[in-house]
Amino acid sequence: MDEPIFIIGSDGNLTSVQKNTYDREAELQQLINDHPELIPGMGDIGEGESIRWLLVQREAGIPREDGGSAWWSIDHILVDQFATPTFVEVKRASDTRVRREVVAQMLDYVANATLYWQPGTLEGWFNSQDEEPDQRLLEFLDDAELSPENFWSRVDENLRSGRVRCVFVPDSIPDSLIRLVEFLNEHLRLTEVYAVELPQYVSADQLPGVRVIVPKLIGNTSRAIANKSEVPSAPKRQWDEESFFADLGERSDSACVTLCREILEWTRVQGVRVVYGNGKRDGSMILVAGPPPNGYVFASLWSSGGIEIDLQYVRRSPSFQEDETRLEVIRKFNQIPGVSIDEGRHSLRPNLPLALFVDDPARHELFAILSWMAGRLLSDLTE
């Protein structure tokens, strides 16, 4: 029989509360959905730093081939303030799959998600399930290292590189699962693996309606922390014109480099400001309409060979705050041969290969759209 825990009230009375099983797995899932902070801090996150969770999606679909429909679903996708995608799978102890099978299932999910989820997938889920996603993200990242402008890019970067976290959440953890979790977390270098036991204690007679949850973290061994701390992480890098074009030249053909230089020259003529990013691996050349400290980011060029149309940011402007005006941007791009942007991404940041625009008439149309957007944004700042 499980030992009870004791609560001493303000009146000094002692109340015993007994461990109680969850009637349904859905109860445990809802508990994580409503209170993701029940998952404790894990890994070596730094002295005085507490982990914070952002719920991205519940029952997130995972394909098993490029462009395929969802074949599996993971119970919850969370991200922390360090932009680490976290896969959470809930199982009751009464489910026999809480043993070895659930580990294989989780690894299947992660292997396919990191391969087949497209950039922007997690951001799109988050934006679609929150009424004010920008404000919520801003509050979540308060005092964090990452800014809202580069948070989702880092999420995608971590997902592609396998810097993710797997968390099993049962109400009781069998010894066989403990051994597997600790072994995996100690020997996997980039991917973290944990289990969090969430038993509940109740006393229906003396404390009606009160539940006591006592999280217990498994897998955060000193050996796992030491091994993962040895994995070198790419340092922050402040990009500039020289480093951006050097990296672009190594990763793209000369036509893409020429196009980016033409865009840079166009910004100088149009009065568009250029800001270089500080991504660890990919350089960015960010186009901003308006002088500091104001201005609207409306496009970003990446040294990996892409151009990002920043519809998420321009919706803060009077000219593009209505959905229809941002849909107009998408429709203008979709008239260019080879371009196909889903209109459902009108509040996101669709990314397109620069190679689509190196030749006319696509090149001409690209400059026409950028000029049209910049003109409207600059007018907003002068009115």
Side-chain angles (χ1 to χ4, degrees):
M1 180 178 177
D2 292 303
E3 295 294 330
I5 62 174
F6 299 93
I7 298 174
I8 300 176
S10 58
D11 56 3
N13 290 330
L14 184 72
T15 300
S16 170
V17 289
Q18 300 290 335
K19 189 174 182 180
N20 188 270
T21 58
Y22 296 88
D23 291 334
R24 296 176 297 114
E25 189 173 291
E27 288 183 50
L28 201 49
Q29 292 175 337
Q30 191 63 44
L31 195 62
I32 297 299
N33 187 80
D34 297 340
H35 306 288
E37 61 272 19
L38 285 170
I39 299 177
M42 46 194 63
D44 186 15
I45 62 174
E47 185 176 353
E49 183 87 54
S50 58
I51 202 161
R52 301 196 298 273
W53 297 112
L54 189 69
L55 177 64
V56 172
Q57 180 76 335
R58 185 170 176 178
E59 298 296 338
I62 302 171
R64 62 173 184 173
E65 60 184 2
D66 193 19
S69 58
W71 185 259
W72 305 279
S73 66
I74 183 79
D75 287 335
H76 302 85
I77 292 293
L78 310 176
V79 291
D80 62 20
Q81 69 266 39
F82 308 106
T84 305
T86 300
F87 295 70
V88 179
E89 185 69 10
V90 172
K91 286 287 184 291
R92 285 196 304 158
S94 58
D95 188 334
T96 57
R97 293 174 299 167
V98 79
R99 302 176 189 276
R100 297 178 181 178
E101 291 87 345
V102 74
V103 175
Q105 182 185 54
M106 175 70 87
L107 294 178
D108 224 356
Y109 292 166
V110 173
N112 284 276
T114 55
L115 184 61
Y116 297 127
W117 277 349
Q118 298 300 308
T121 296
L122 273 66
E123 180 184 8
W125 281 336
F126 173 72
N127 288 338
S128 67
Q129 56 96 27
D130 198 281
E131 293 183 356
E132 297 184 349
D134 291 343
Q135 182 60 33
R136 187 176 171 211
L137 182 63
L138 191 64
E139 293 171 355
F140 173 71
L141 293 175
D142 186 36
D143 296 327
E145 171 192 337
L146 290 169
S147 67
E149 287 74 22
N150 58 21
F151 178 76
W152 292 113
S153 294
R154 183 71 61 84
V155 168
D156 289 336
E157 180 181 308
N158 286 335
L159 188 68
R160 290 195 302 269
S161 65
R163 290 182 181 271
V164 299
R165 186 183 291 119
C166 307
V167 181
F168 305 98
V169 182
D171 52 349
S172 180
I173 302 177
D175 290 342
S176 58
L177 182 58
I178 292 175
R179 289 191 296 271
L180 279 170
V181 165
E182 291 183 344
F183 176 84
L184 288 171
N185 204 34
E186 288 174 358
H187 291 84
L188 292 175
R189 303 301 299 277
L190 295 178
T191 301
E192 302 174 39
V193 182
Y194 302 96
V196 176
E197 189 175 80
L198 288 183
Q200 66 172 348
Y201 294 80
V202 300
S203 178
D205 296 333
Q206 296 176 286
L207 295 173
V210 174
R211 286 191 295 169
V212 178
I213 310 296
V214 186
K216 179 182 179 182
L217 179 64
I218 302 296
N220 202 39
T221 65
S222 57
R223 182 177 178 183
I225 293 173
N227 287 347
K228 284 176 169 52
S229 66
E230 295 172 1
V231 179
S233 59
K236 276 189 173 182
R237 176 179 182 180
Q238 181 56 59
W239 296 79
D240 56 20
E241 180 179 339
E242 181 180 355
S243 59
F244 174 85
F245 279 100
D247 193 54
L248 178 67
E250 292 179 357
R251 303 167 69 177
S252 302
D253 60 24
S254 60
C256 289
V257 175
T258 298
L259 175 62
C260 283
R261 289 205 175 276
E262 290 175 343
I263 293 174
L264 180 60
E265 184 59 33
W266 169 87
T267 65
R268 292 165 178 159
V269 173
Q270 297 291 323
V272 170
R273 185 159 48 99
V274 171
V275 177
Y276 292 94
N278 60 358
K280 291 183 177 181
R281 294 173 179 83
D282 296 334
S284 55
M285 189 171 82
I286 303 163
L287 310 188
V288 187
N294 301 312
Y296 299 108
V297 174
F298 64 98
S300 300
L301 308 178
W302 290 88
S303 64
S304 54
I307 179 170
E308 190 174 81
I309 313 304
D310 292 309
L311 300 177
Q312 178 181 346
Y313 301 137
V314 298
R315 66 180 181 173
R316 296 186 293 110
S317 71
S319 288
F320 292 99
Q321 64 183 354
E322 299 296 331
D323 290 351
E324 186 58 37
T325 55
R326 299 193 306 280
L327 284 168
E328 186 178 355
V329 177
I330 289 178
R331 289 163 187 158
K332 285 177 180 289
F333 272 102
N334 283 346
Q335 290 176 2
I336 300 173
V339 176
S340 178
I341 304 174
D342 187 333
E343 292 193 358
R345 296 179 61 80
H346 66 277
S347 294
L348 302 178
R349 305 196 308 269
N351 195 300
L352 300 165
L354 283 166
L356 290 174
F357 307 101
V358 296
D359 296 319
D360 284 327
R363 174 187 165 281
H364 174 79
E365 291 301 320
L366 172 64
F367 280 100
I369 297 171
L370 293 178
S371 297
W372 173 72
M373 292 181 70
R376 297 192 65 167
L377 293 169
L378 289 169
S379 295
D380 289 339
L381 292 170
T382 57
E383 291 177 357

